[in-house]
Coordinates of all heavy atoms in Angstrom, one line a residue:
M692 N -7.7 -15.6 0.9 CA -6.8 -14.9 1.8 C -7.1 -13.5 1.8 O -7.3 -12.8 0.8 CB -5.4 -15.2 1.3 CG -4.4 -14.7 2.1 SD -2.7 -15.4 1.7 CE -2.0 -14.0 0.9
K693 N -7.1 -12.9 3.0 CA -7.4 -11.4 3.1 C -6.1 -10.6 2.7 O -5.0 -10.9 3.1 CB -7.7 -11.2 4.6 CG -8.1 -9.7 4.8 CD -8.5 -9.5 6.2 CE -8.8 -8.0 6.4 NZ -9.1 -7.8 7.9
V694 N -6.4 -9.6 1.9 CA -5.3 -8.8 1.5 C -5.2 -7.5 2.4 O -6.3 -6.8 2.6 CB -5.5 -8.3 0.0 CG1 -4.4 -7.3 -0.4 CG2 -5.5 -9.5 -0.9
T695 N -4.1 -7.2 2.9 CA -3.9 -6.0 3.7 C -3.5 -4.8 2.8 O -2.6 -4.9 2.0 CB -2.8 -6.3 4.7 OG1 -3.1 -7.4 5.5 CG2 -2.6 -5.1 5.6
S696 N -4.2 -3.7 3.0 CA -3.9 -2.5 2.2 C -3.3 -1.4 3.2 O -3.8 -1.2 4.3 CB -5.1 -2.0 1.6 OG -5.6 -2.9 0.7
K697 N -2.2 -0.7 2.7 CA -1.6 0.3 3.4 C -2.0 1.6 2.7 O -1.9 1.7 1.5 CB -0.1 0.3 3.5 CG 0.3 -1.0 4.2 CD 0.0 -1.0 5.7 CE 0.5 -2.2 6.4 NZ 0.1 -2.3 7.8
H698 N -2.5 2.6 3.4 CA -2.9 3.9 2.8 C -2.0 5.0 3.4 O -1.9 5.1 4.6 CB -4.4 4.2 3.1 CG -5.3 3.2 2.5 ND1 -6.0 3.6 1.4 CD2 -5.7 2.0 2.8 CE1 -6.7 2.5 1.0 NE2 -6.6 1.6 1.9
V699 N -1.5 5.8 2.6 CA -0.7 7.0 3.0 C -1.7 8.2 2.8 O -2.2 8.5 1.7 CB 0.6 7.2 2.2 CG1 1.3 8.6 2.5 CG2 1.5 6.1 2.3
V700 N -2.0 8.9 3.9 CA -3.0 10.0 3.9 C -2.5 11.2 4.6 O -1.6 11.1 5.5 CB -4.3 9.5 4.6 CG1 -5.0 8.3 3.8 CG2 -4.1 9.1 6.0
S701 N -3.0 12.4 4.2 CA -2.6 13.6 4.8 C -3.2 13.8 6.2 O -4.3 13.4 6.4 CB -3.0 14.7 3.8 OG -2.8 16.0 4.4
R702 N -2.4 14.4 7.0 CA -2.8 14.7 8.4 C -2.6 16.2 8.6 O -1.9 16.8 7.9 CB -2.0 13.9 9.4 CG -2.5 12.5 9.6 CD -3.8 12.5 10.3 NE -4.3 11.3 10.7 CZ -4.2 10.6 11.9 NH1 -3.4 11.1 12.7 NH2 -4.8 9.5 12.1
D703 N -3.1 16.7 9.7 CA -2.8 18.1 10.1 C -1.4 18.4 10.2 O -0.9 19.4 9.8 CB -3.6 18.4 11.4 CG -5.0 18.5 11.3 OD1 -5.6 18.7 10.1 OD2 -5.7 18.3 12.3
K704 N -0.7 17.4 10.8 CA 0.8 17.6 11.0 C 1.5 16.5 10.4 O 2.1 15.6 11.1 CB 1.1 17.7 12.5 CG 0.5 18.9 13.2 CD 0.8 18.9 14.7 CE 0.1 20.1 15.3 NZ 0.5 20.2 16.8
G705 N 1.5 16.4 9.1 CA 2.3 15.4 8.4 C 1.5 14.4 7.6 O 0.4 14.8 7.1
W706 N 2.0 13.2 7.4 CA 1.4 12.2 6.7 C 1.3 10.9 7.5 O 2.2 10.5 8.2 CB 2.2 11.9 5.4 CG 2.2 13.1 4.5 CD1 3.0 14.2 4.5 CD2 1.3 13.3 3.4 NE1 2.6 15.1 3.6 CE2 1.5 14.5 2.8 CE3 0.3 12.5 2.8 CZ2 0.8 15.0 1.7 CZ3 -0.4 13.0 1.8 CH2 -0.1 14.2 1.2
A707 N 0.2 10.2 7.4 CA 0.0 9.0 8.2 C -0.1 7.8 7.3 O -0.5 7.9 6.1 CB -1.3 9.1 9.0
V708 N 0.3 6.6 7.9 CA 0.1 5.4 7.2 C -0.9 4.6 8.0 O -0.8 4.4 9.2 CB 1.4 4.6 7.2 CG1 1.2 3.2 6.6 CG2 2.5 5.3 6.5
K709 N -2.0 4.2 7.3 CA -3.1 3.5 7.9 C -3.3 2.2 7.2 O -3.0 2.0 6.0 CB -4.4 4.3 7.7 CG -4.5 5.6 8.5 CD -5.8 6.3 8.4 CE -7.0 5.5 8.9 NZ -8.2 6.2 8.8
T710 N -3.7 1.2 8.0 CA -4.0 -0.1 7.5 C -5.5 -0.2 7.2 O -6.3 0.3 8.1 CB -3.6 -1.2 8.5 OG1 -2.2 -1.1 8.7 CG2 -3.9 -2.6 7.9
S711 N -5.9 -0.7 6.1 CA -7.4 -0.8 5.8 C -8.1 -1.5 6.9 O -7.6 -2.5 7.5 CB -7.6 -1.5 4.5 OG -7.0 -2.8 4.5
G712 N -9.3 -1.0 7.2 CA -10.1 -1.6 8.3 C -9.8 -1.1 9.6 O -10.4 -1.5 10.6
T713 N -8.9 -0.2 9.7 CA -8.6 0.4 11.1 C -9.0 1.9 11.1 O -8.9 2.5 10.0 CB -7.1 0.3 11.5 OG1 -6.3 1.0 10.5 CG2 -6.6 -1.2 11.5
S714 N -9.2 2.4 12.3 CA -9.6 3.8 12.4 C -8.4 4.8 12.7 O -8.5 5.9 12.4 CB -10.7 4.0 13.4 OG -10.3 3.6 14.6
R715 N -7.4 4.2 13.3 CA -6.2 5.0 13.7 C -5.1 4.7 12.8 O -4.9 3.7 12.3 CB -5.8 4.6 15.2 CG -7.0 4.9 16.2 CD -6.6 4.6 17.5 NE -5.5 5.6 17.9 CZ -4.8 5.6 19.0 NH1 -5.2 4.8 20.0 NH2 -3.9 6.5 19.2
A716 N -4.2 5.8 12.7 CA -2.9 5.7 11.9 C -2.0 4.8 12.7 O -1.8 4.9 13.9 CB -2.4 7.0 11.7
G717 N -1.3 3.9 11.9 CA -0.2 3.1 12.6 C 1.1 3.9 12.9 O 1.7 3.7 13.8
K718 N 1.3 4.9 12.0 CA 2.5 5.7 12.2 C 2.3 7.0 11.4 O 1.7 7.1 10.4 CB 3.7 4.9 11.6 CG 5.1 5.4 12.0 CD 6.1 4.3 11.9 CE 7.4 4.9 12.4 NZ 8.2 4.2 13.3
V719 N 2.9 8.1 12.0 CA 2.8 9.4 11.3 C 4.2 9.9 11.1 O 5.1 9.7 11.9 CB 2.0 10.4 12.3 CG1 2.0 11.8 11.7 CG2 0.6 9.9 12.6
F720 N 4.4 10.6 9.9 CA 5.6 11.1 9.4 C 5.6 12.5 9.1 O 4.5 13.1 8.8 CB 6.1 10.3 8.2 CG 6.3 8.8 8.4 CD1 5.3 8.0 8.3 CD2 7.6 8.4 8.8 CE1 5.5 6.6 8.6 CE2 7.8 7.0 9.0 CZ 6.8 6.2 8.9
E721 N 6.7 13.2 9.1 CA 6.7 14.7 8.8 C 6.6 14.9 7.3 O 6.0 15.8 6.8 CB 8.0 15.3 9.2 CG 8.0 15.5 10.8 CD 9.3 16.3 11.2 OE1 9.9 16.9 10.4 OE2 9.6 16.2 12.4
S722 N 7.2 14.0 6.5 CA 7.1 14.1 5.0 C 6.3 13.0 4.4 O 6.3 11.8 4.9 CB 8.5 14.2 4.4 OG 9.1 12.9 4.4
K723 N 5.8 13.3 3.2 CA 5.1 12.3 2.5 C 6.0 11.2 2.0 O 5.7 10.0 2.0 CB 4.4 12.9 1.3 CG 3.5 12.0 0.5 CD 2.8 12.8 -0.6 CE 1.8 11.9 -1.4 NZ 1.1 12.7 -2.4
A724 N 7.2 11.6 1.6 CA 8.2 10.5 1.0 C 8.5 9.5 2.1 O 8.6 8.3 1.8 CB 9.5 11.3 0.6
E725 N 8.7 10.0 3.4 CA 9.0 9.0 4.5 C 7.8 8.1 4.7 O 8.0 6.9 4.8 CB 9.3 9.8 5.7 CG 10.5 10.6 5.8 CD 10.7 11.4 7.1 OE1 9.7 12.1 7.4 OE2 11.7 11.3 7.7
A726 N 6.6 8.6 4.6 CA 5.4 7.8 4.8 C 5.3 6.8 3.7 O 5.0 5.6 4.0 CB 4.2 8.6 4.9
V727 N 5.5 7.2 2.5 CA 5.4 6.3 1.3 C 6.4 5.1 1.4 O 6.1 4.0 1.1 CB 5.5 7.1 0.0 CG1 5.6 6.2 -1.2 CG2 4.3 8.0 -0.2
E728 N 7.7 5.5 1.7 CA 8.7 4.4 1.9 C 8.3 3.4 2.9 O 8.5 2.2 2.7 CB 10.1 5.1 2.1 CG 11.2 4.1 2.2 CD 11.4 3.3 0.9 OE1 11.1 3.9 -0.2 OE2 11.8 2.1 1.0
Y729 N 7.9 3.9 4.1 CA 7.5 2.9 5.1 C 6.3 2.1 4.7 O 6.3 0.9 4.9 CB 7.1 3.8 6.4 CG 6.6 3.0 7.6 CD1 7.5 2.4 8.4 CD2 5.2 2.8 7.7 CE1 7.0 1.6 9.4 CE2 4.7 2.0 8.7 CZ 5.6 1.4 9.6 OH 5.1 0.6 10.7
A730 N 5.3 2.7 4.1 CA 4.1 1.9 3.7 C 4.5 1.0 2.6 O 3.9 -0.2 2.5 CB 3.0 2.9 3.2
R731 N 5.3 1.4 1.7 CA 5.8 0.5 0.6 C 6.5 -0.8 1.2 O 6.2 -2.0 0.8 CB 6.7 1.2 -0.3 CG 7.0 0.5 -1.7 CD 7.9 1.2 -2.6 NE 7.6 2.6 -2.7 CZ 6.6 3.1 -3.6 NH1 6.0 2.3 -4.4 NH2 6.4 4.4 -3.7
R732 N 7.4 -0.6 2.1 CA 8.0 -1.7 2.7 C 7.0 -2.7 3.4 O 7.2 -3.9 3.4 CB 9.1 -1.3 3.7 CG 10.4 -0.9 3.0 CD 11.6 -0.6 4.0 NE 11.5 0.9 4.2 CZ 11.5 1.5 5.4 NH1 11.5 0.8 6.4 NH2 11.5 2.8 5.4
A733 N 6.1 -2.0 4.2 CA 5.1 -2.8 4.9 C 4.2 -3.6 3.9 O 3.9 -4.8 4.2 CB 4.3 -1.9 5.8
A734 N 3.8 -3.0 2.9 CA 2.9 -3.7 1.9 C 3.7 -4.8 1.2 O 3.1 -5.9 1.0 CB 2.5 -2.6 0.8
R735 N 4.9 -4.6 0.9 CA 5.7 -5.7 0.3 C 5.9 -6.9 1.2 O 5.7 -8.0 0.9 CB 7.1 -5.2 0.0 CG 7.2 -4.4 -1.4 CD 8.6 -4.1 -1.7 NE 8.7 -3.3 -2.9 CZ 9.6 -2.3 -3.1 NH1 10.4 -1.9 -2.1 NH2 9.6 -1.7 -4.2
K736 N 6.2 -6.5 2.5 CA 6.4 -7.6 3.5 C 5.1 -8.5 3.8 O 5.2 -9.6 3.9 CB 6.8 -6.9 4.9 CG 7.0 -7.9 6.0 CD 7.5 -7.2 7.2 CE 7.7 -8.1 8.4 NZ 8.0 -7.5 9.6
E737 N 3.9 -7.7 3.7 CA 2.7 -8.4 3.9 C 2.0 -8.9 2.6 O 0.9 -9.4 2.7 CB 1.8 -7.4 4.7 CG 2.2 -7.1 6.0 CD 1.5 -5.9 6.7 OE1 0.4 -5.6 6.2 OE2 2.0 -5.4 7.7
H738 N 2.7 -8.7 1.5 CA 2.1 -9.0 0.2 C 0.7 -8.4 0.0 O -0.2 -9.1 -0.4 CB 2.0 -10.5 0.0 CG 3.4 -11.2 0.2 ND1 4.4 -11.2 -0.7 CD2 3.9 -11.9 1.2 CE1 5.5 -11.8 -0.3 NE2 5.1 -12.3 0.9
G739 N 0.6 -7.1 0.4 CA -0.6 -6.4 0.3 C -0.6 -5.3 -0.9 O 0.0 -5.5 -1.9
E740 N -1.3 -4.3 -0.6 CA -1.5 -3.2 -1.6 C -1.2 -1.9 -0.9 O -1.4 -1.7 0.2 CB -2.9 -3.2 -2.2 CG -3.2 -4.5 -2.9 CD -4.6 -4.5 -3.6 OE1 -5.4 -3.6 -3.2 OE2 -4.8 -5.3 -4.5
L741 N -0.6 -1.0 -1.8 CA -0.3 0.3 -1.3 C -1.2 1.4 -2.1 O -1.3 1.3 -3.3 CB 1.2 0.7 -1.6 CG 1.7 2.1 -1.5 CD1 1.6 2.5 0.0 CD2 3.1 2.2 -2.0
Y742 N -1.7 2.3 -1.3 CA -2.5 3.4 -1.8 C -1.9 4.7 -1.3 O -1.8 4.9 -0.1 CB -4.0 3.3 -1.5 CG -4.7 2.2 -2.0 CD1 -4.8 0.9 -1.3 CD2 -5.4 2.3 -3.2 CE1 -5.4 -0.2 -1.9 CE2 -6.1 1.1 -3.7 CZ -6.1 0.0 -3.1 OH -6.8 -1.1 -3.6
V743 N -1.5 5.6 -2.2 CA -1.0 6.9 -1.8 C -2.0 8.0 -2.2 O -2.4 8.1 -3.4 CB 0.4 7.2 -2.5 CG1 0.9 8.5 -2.1 CG2 1.4 6.1 -2.2
H744 N -2.4 8.7 -1.2 CA -3.5 9.7 -1.4 C -2.8 11.1 -1.5 O -1.8 11.3 -0.8 CB -4.5 9.6 -0.3 CG -5.2 8.3 -0.2 ND1 -6.5 8.1 -0.7 CD2 -4.9 7.1 0.4 CE1 -6.9 6.9 -0.5 NE2 -6.0 6.3 0.2
G745 N -3.5 12.0 -2.2 CA -3.1 13.4 -2.2 C -3.6 14.2 -1.1 O -4.4 13.6 -0.3
L746 N -3.4 15.4 -1.0 CA -3.9 16.3 0.0 C -5.5 16.4 0.0 O -6.1 16.5 1.0 CB -3.4 17.7 -0.2 CG -1.9 18.0 0.2 CD1 -1.5 19.4 -0.3 CD2 -1.7 17.8 1.7
D747 N -6.0 16.2 -1.2 CA -7.5 16.2 -1.4 C -8.1 14.9 -1.1 O -9.3 14.7 -1.2 CB -7.9 16.8 -2.7 CG -7.4 16.0 -3.9 OD1 -6.8 14.9 -3.6 OD2 -7.7 16.3 -5.0
G748 N -7.4 13.9 -0.8 CA -7.9 12.6 -0.6 C -8.0 11.6 -1.8 O -8.3 10.4 -1.6
T749 N -7.7 12.1 -3.0 CA -7.8 11.3 -4.1 C -6.6 10.3 -4.2 O -5.5 10.6 -3.7 CB -7.9 12.1 -5.4 OG1 -6.7 12.9 -5.5 CG2 -9.1 12.9 -5.5
I750 N -6.8 9.2 -4.8 CA -5.7 8.2 -4.9 C -4.8 8.7 -6.0 O -5.2 8.8 -7.2 CB -6.2 6.9 -5.1 CG1 -7.0 6.3 -3.9 CG2 -5.0 5.8 -5.4 CD1 -7.8 5.1 -4.1
Q751 N -3.5 8.9 -5.7 CA -2.5 9.3 -6.7 C -1.7 8.1 -7.2 O -1.2 8.1 -8.4 CB -1.5 10.3 -6.1 CG -2.2 11.6 -5.7 CD -1.1 12.6 -5.1 OE1 -0.2 12.2 -4.4 NE2 -1.4 13.9 -5.3
E752 N -1.6 7.1 -6.4 CA -0.8 5.9 -6.8 C -1.4 4.7 -6.2 O -1.8 4.7 -5.0 CB 0.6 6.1 -6.4 CG 1.6 4.9 -6.7 CD 3.0 5.1 -6.1 OE1 3.3 6.2 -5.7 OE2 3.7 4.1 -6.1
R753 N -1.4 3.6 -6.9 CA -1.8 2.3 -6.3 C -0.9 1.2 -6.8 O -0.5 1.2 -8.0 CB -3.2 1.9 -6.8 CG -3.7 0.6 -6.3 CD -5.0 0.2 -6.9 NE -5.4 -1.2 -6.6 CZ -4.9 -2.3 -7.2 NH1 -4.2 -2.2 -8.2 NH2 -5.4 -3.4 -6.7
K754 N -0.4 0.4 -6.0 CA 0.6 -0.7 -6.3 C 0.2 -2.0 -5.5 O 0.0 -1.9 -4.3 CB 2.0 -0.2 -5.9 CG 3.1 -1.2 -6.2 CD 3.4 -1.3 -7.7 CE 4.5 -2.3 -7.8 NZ 4.7 -2.7 -9.2
S755 N 0.2 -3.0 -6.2 CA -0.1 -4.3 -5.6 C 1.2 -5.1 -5.4 O 2.0 -5.2 -6.3 CB -1.2 -5.1 -6.4 OG -1.3 -6.4 -5.7
Y756 N 1.4 -5.7 -4.2 CA 2.5 -6.6 -4.0 C 2.1 -8.0 -3.7 O 2.7 -8.7 -3.0 CB 3.4 -6.0 -2.8 CG 3.9 -4.7 -3.1 CD1 3.3 -3.5 -2.7 CD2 5.1 -4.5 -3.9 CE1 3.9 -2.2 -3.0 CE2 5.6 -3.3 -4.2 CZ 5.0 -2.1 -3.7 OH 5.6 -0.9 -4.0
R757 N 0.9 -8.4 -4.2 CA 0.3 -9.7 -3.9 C 1.1 -10.7 -4.7 O 1.7 -10.5 -5.7 CB -1.1 -9.7 -4.4 CG -2.0 -8.8 -3.6 CD -3.4 -8.7 -4.2 NE -4.1 -9.9 -3.9 CZ -5.4 -10.1 -4.3 NH1 -6.0 -9.2 -4.9 NH2 -5.9 -11.3 -4.1
R758 N 1.2 -11.9 -4.1 CA 1.8 -13.0 -4.7 C 1.0 -13.5 -5.9 O -0.2 -13.6 -5.8 CB 2.0 -14.2 -3.8 CG 3.1 -13.9 -2.7 CD 3.2 -15.1 -1.8 NE 4.2 -14.8 -0.8 CZ 4.3 -15.4 0.3 NH1 3.5 -16.4 0.6 NH2 5.2 -15.1 1.2
A759 N 1.7 -13.9 -7.0 CA 0.9 -14.5 -8.1 C 0.6 -15.9 -7.8 O 1.4 -16.6 -7.2 CB 1.8 -14.4 -9.4
S760 N -0.7 -16.2 -8.0 CA -1.1 -17.6 -7.7 C -1.3 -18.3 -9.0 O -1.3 -17.7 -10.1 CB -2.4 -17.6 -6.9 OG -3.5 -17.1 -7.6
A761 N -1.5 -19.6 -9.0 CA -1.8 -20.3 -10.2 C -3.0 -19.8 -10.9 O -3.1 -19.9 -12.1 CB -1.9 -21.8 -9.8
A762 N -4.0 -19.3 -10.2 CA -5.2 -18.9 -10.8 C -5.0 -17.6 -11.6 O -5.7 -17.3 -12.5 CB -6.3 -18.6 -9.8
T763 N -4.0 -16.8 -11.2 CA -3.7 -15.5 -12.0 C -2.7 -15.6 -12.9 O -2.4 -14.6 -13.7 CB -3.4 -14.4 -10.9 OG1 -2.2 -14.8 -10.2 CG2 -4.6 -14.2 -9.9
K764 N -1.9 -16.7 -13.1 CA -0.9 -16.8 -14.0 C -1.5 -17.1 -15.4 O -2.5 -17.7 -15.5 CB 0.0 -18.0 -13.7 CG 0.9 -17.7 -12.5 CD 1.8 -18.8 -12.2 CE 2.7 -18.6 -11.0 NZ 3.5 -19.7 -10.7
P765 N -0.9 -16.5 -16.5 CA -1.4 -16.6 -17.8 C -1.4 -18.2 -18.2 O -0.4 -18.8 -17.9 CB -0.5 -15.8 -18.7 CG 0.7 -15.5 -17.9 CD 0.3 -15.6 -16.4
L766 N -2.3 -18.5 -19.0 CA -2.3 -19.9 -19.5 C -1.4 -20.1 -20.6 O -1.3 -19.2 -21.5 CB -3.7 -20.4 -19.9 CG -4.8 -20.3 -18.8 CD1 -6.2 -20.6 -19.4 CD2 -4.5 -21.3 -17.7
R767 N -0.7 -21.2 -20.7 CA 0.2 -21.5 -21.8 C -0.6 -22.1 -22.9 O -1.4 -22.9 -22.7 CB 1.3 -22.5 -21.4 CG 2.2 -21.9 -20.3 CD 3.2 -23.0 -20.0 NE 4.4 -22.6 -20.5 CZ 5.6 -23.2 -20.3 NH1 5.6 -24.2 -19.4 NH2 6.7 -22.8 -20.9
S768 N -0.3 -21.6 -24.1 CA -1.0 -22.1 -25.3 C -0.4 -23.5 -25.6 O 0.8 -23.7 -25.6 CB -0.9 -21.2 -26.5 OG 0.4 -21.0 -26.8
K769 N -1.3 -24.4 -26.0 CA -0.8 -25.7 -26.4 C -0.6 -25.8 -27.9 O -1.4 -25.3 -28.7 CB -1.9 -26.8 -26.0 CG -2.0 -26.9 -24.5 CD -3.0 -28.0 -24.2 CE -3.2 -28.1 -22.6 NZ -4.2 -29.0 -22.3
K770 N 0.5 -26.3 -28.4 CA 0.8 -26.5 -29.8 C 0.8 -27.8 -30.3 O 1.0 -28.7 -29.6 CB 2.1 -25.8 -30.1 CG 2.1 -24.3 -29.8 CD 3.4 -23.7 -30.3 CE 3.4 -22.2 -30.0 NZ 4.5 -21.5 -30.4

């Protein structure tokens, strides 16, 4: 299953939310906080990942909202 990633990146006039694999921003906001909140909701809804970038482009925060599958759940010890 393909995981959708949302990236919050700096723009000349504000902060943009981009989806991985696209060249254009989906939405642009005046403040970083607004962009992060929008991207967080979208990543949760799509069970994707959120990347928040700083002014210099480095990743400041990464959060995964992927569903846990049977393959990723810890094994129970047998007694």
Side-chain angles (χ1 to χ4, degrees):
M692 185 165 109
K693 185 178 176 185
V694 176
T695 303
S696 299
K697 299 294 183 186
H698 294 260
V699 176
V700 295
S701 175
R702 281 288 183 95
D703 291 337
K704 295 181 180 180
W706 292 84
V708 176
K709 292 180 65 176
T710 301
S711 58
T713 63
S714 58
R715 298 184 65 179
K718 197 157 178 136
V719 179
F720 297 87
E721 288 185 18
S722 76
K723 185 176 183 179
E725 290 174 309
V727 170
E728 183 58 34
Y729 175 85
R731 190 179 314 278
R732 278 187 267 128
R735 280 185 183 141
K736 182 179 177 182
E737 297 171 12
H738 303 287
E740 295 183 345
L741 169 66
Y742 293 89
V743 180
H744 298 263
L746 287 171
D747 61 357
T749 59
I750 296 172
Q751 295 180 326
E752 178 185 346
R753 179 188 174 273
K754 177 74 177 170
S755 178
Y756 297 99
R757 296 172 71 176
R758 289 184 181 159
S760 67
T763 60
K764 289 183 181 176
L766 299 174
R767 296 179 104 170
S768 61
K769 294 181 182 178
K770 292 184 179 182

